[in-house]
Amino acid sequence: MMTATLELTRKEYELFRQLVYRECGISLGDEKMQLVKARLSKRIRQSEFKSFREYYDHVVNDETGEELSLLLDAISTNTTHLFREAEHFKVLRDIIDKWGDSPAQRADANTLRIWSAACSSGEEPYSIAMVAHQALQQFPNTALKILATDISTRMLAKAKQGIYQPNSLEDVPDDLRRKYFKPVQVSYEPSFQIAPEIRKTVTFARFNLMTPSFPFHKGFDVIFCRNVMIYFDRTTQGTLVNKFAGKLHPGGYLMIGHSESLNSISHPLTYLQPTVYRKK
Ligand SMILES: C[S@@+](CC[C@H](N)C(=O)[O-])C[C@H]1O[C@@H](n2cnc3c(N)ncnc32)[C@H](O)[C@@H]1O
């Protein structure tokens, strides 16, 4: 059976574009119109809407926010992998090795708090957790708490399972692979699940980075915000980086994606090396 092509007008594209910008900060250029059309057409057909306009009205009137979440899922890029941009994990290891030299001056100094601020399907926070768990063996009195957030409920559901295909483990250092992955069968497919001692250090939660004020009262020693700011405009990036700075403990670190930079953004952090910044 042939399905009729859905037409997306410029005016309708503009409506979706403003909605996506308003809700999650993603700035869609004119060149993304065909991509948005293709991705949303699929969703529209699945739910049997007749036009983009009808779908748009449904999204903005859906008080549960579920359809908006599905729309953002269809539009945003969730690509990630274990030990992506591996240099950051060496930096993390060095930070923890020096942890004992300068004990933090605060009430919960015995907890290392890390935030993976756009965690997608979990590969980033689990990579952080494995490195930190192993490195912290030299400081047995220090607890590890990782907060992993994303706007996508679909990605968070996958992340919580912590199950990955064998070929996803290619960049995982051998010792960590042997120690922290358990073989499991998923629908007769051999897969690997992150070990319970690592999973229990990570708390997953839905959080929109566009939220006006960040409600994390305890602050963080390290924040990873990688490969999401690239989709935001400069003003949004500036606001976000300053909010991250406000949530870092003194001496805390911010890691951003390798194709991102804070050039031309005014912020209080000190540049340490490409994509790594520190709060004084
Ligand atoms: C390309 S992935 C990056 C994953 C991981 N940080 C990495 O570098 O591999 C970008 C993630 O940002 C999330 N995202 C997009 N806009 C967001 C927002 N406003 N708040 C929170 N997460 C958002 C998407 O759902 C997606 O999972």
Side-chain angles (χ1 to χ4, degrees), residues 109-173:
N110 285 341
T111 304
L112 174 65
R113 291 181 192 280
I114 304 178
W115 181 16
S116 166
C119 67
S120 190
S121 36
E123 289 86 335
E124 178 178 282
Y126 289 133
S127 303
I128 296 169
M130 287 184 264
V131 170
H133 187 271
Q134 193 182 50
L136 279 174
Q137 283 172 357
Q138 57 189 311
F139 305 118
N141 294 328
T142 301
L144 173 62
K145 289 203 170 158
I146 299 167
L147 173 68
T149 62
D150 200 279
I151 200 169
S152 167
T153 40
R154 194 169 56 93
M155 286 301 122
L156 287 167
K158 185 163 188 266
K160 280 179 197 161
Q161 291 187 323
I163 295 176
Y164 302 102
Q165 300 295 307
N167 61 2
S168 317
L169 274 57
E170 277 165 10
D171 293 335
V172 180

Side-chain angles (χ1 to χ4, degrees), residues 20-26 72-73 75-85 88 115-125 149-153 155-156 205-211 224-232 236 240 256-258 260:
V20 170
Y21 183 70
R22 216 169 42 237
E23 295 295 334
C24 75
I26 293 179
L72 298 177
D73 259 353
I75 288 191
S76 63
T77 305
N78 306 111
T79 312
T80 185
H81 59 86
L82 289 156
F83 284 85
R84 180 180 195 180
E85 299 173 358
H88 284 152
W115 181 16
S116 166
C119 67
S120 190
S121 36
E123 289 86 335
E124 178 178 282
T149 62
D150 200 279
I151 200 169
S152 167
T153 40
M155 286 301 122
L156 287 167
R206 182 168 191 258
F207 184 71
N208 186 346
L209 292 169
M210 295 303 110
T211 305
F224 285 73
C225 182
R226 308 187 311 160
N227 304 301
V228 63
M229 277 199 284
I230 199 165
Y231 303 108
F232 301 159
T236 308
L240 188 56
I256 64 172
H258 281 191
E260 298 164 331

